[in-house]
Amino acid sequence: MTEVEEDIFDIEEAMYSHLYKCQLYKNTNEDLKNVLSITNFSGKEVLSVMASADQVFSAYYLGARSVDTFDINKYAYYYFYLKKWCFIKYKNIKIPDESRKILEALELHDDSEEEKKVYDLWKEVVEYCMARNREFSTNKFLFSIPQNGWTVPYYNDEDKMAKIISSKKANFTQFNIFLPINCKKQYDIIILSNILEFMEEAQQITTISNLNSLLKRNGFIICSNVRYDKPKERKLFEENGFLYQNGINGIILTREIPKLQPVSYTYKKLETIKS
């Protein structure tokens, strides 16, 4: 089988039998309008977790010169294009629930090998669902449970966002930020979202080393969490040459409410990094 055929098989299998195997974030669970507002993205080179692709869209909307992406889940790469085409077609921050509308949006792909490959995957998967009268966009095996309270900075400016994103590519590399990586490029801003919540203590040294090597001097890391309190995360960064930046920390004021929206924290890489 080709790579695309293998990926189609994996998604079809996961949709009906393996919860979390290929699960995607349909939308961010962050208040990105506030989370990203304290950082200047204009003309900056950005590295972002792919996740729901909302972080990538937002960085471009806020003026980023380029955005490279990564994720441990390679299917997030496919989802970027699905979301891109649906957004251009319908000017809506959510993908449509109707499979017919998704199929229509897929036709916006260009003639590049990359986009045709993504088109082939989603077309077969959506038609597979339709033929069996099964869910696609509301399928719990493919998408995690959506949460309320999330925002994006381009809300009510969808026409501008559609023009911006129309020419953008995924620029995707599959890797785990907790493991050693080989990347020579450095960035002005790194968006981690909720990733650090899943980092084991034994992975801290490798993770911080990765972030130091990926970030330019005076660059910024933006990350969010709900699973543990800020002081633990803040101490980890400050002990390794980063300065905590005060600013808007999302919209949640307490950790006592179930299913909290993540609160964001920003750290600046100092010119002199501790060895």
Side-chain angles (χ1 to χ4, degrees), residues 55-115:
Q55 295 87 344
V56 183
F57 281 37
S58 297
Y60 277 125
Y61 178 79
L62 294 171
R65 181 171 64 184
S66 67
V67 182
D68 291 341
T69 67
F70 73 96
D71 206 294
I72 193 172
N73 183 356
K74 67 178 178 179
Y75 298 101
Y77 156 80
Y78 289 103
Y79 186 57
F80 167 85
Y81 285 103
L82 174 63
K83 195 158 194 172
K84 168 186 168 178
W85 298 328
C86 287
F87 190 89
I88 295 170
K89 179 75 173 178
Y90 302 111
K91 309 296 193 301
N92 196 310
I93 59 178
K94 297 181 181 179
I95 65 170
D97 292 328
E98 300 90 340
S99 295
R100 175 189 57 81
K101 286 189 174 182
I102 293 175
L103 285 177
E104 292 174 357
L106 295 182
E107 298 301 327
L108 295 180
H109 70 88
D110 63 25
D111 291 330
S112 67
E113 182 178 346
E114 180 177 18
E115 291 203 9

Side-chain angles (χ1 to χ4, degrees), residues 144-161:
S144 63
I145 299 173
Q147 297 185 19
N148 296 322
W150 61 275
T151 66
V152 290
Y154 47 90
Y155 182 70
N156 286 335
D157 201 6
E158 286 82 357
D159 286 339
K160 178 181 176 180
M161 185 69 250

Side-chain angles (χ1 to χ4, degrees), residues 37 51 57-58 60 91 107 136-137 141 153 210 215 218 262:
S37 67
F57 281 37
S58 297
Y60 277 125
K91 309 296 193 301
E107 298 301 327
F136 172 71
S137 64
F141 295 102
N210 286 337
L215 201 63
N218 296 318

Side-chain angles (χ1 to χ4, degrees), residues 113-124:
E113 182 178 346
E114 180 177 18
E115 291 203 9
K116 287 191 289 187
K117 177 181 74 172
V118 178
Y119 165 81
D120 289 340
L121 179 137
W122 286 125
K123 186 172 187 293
E124 182 159 340

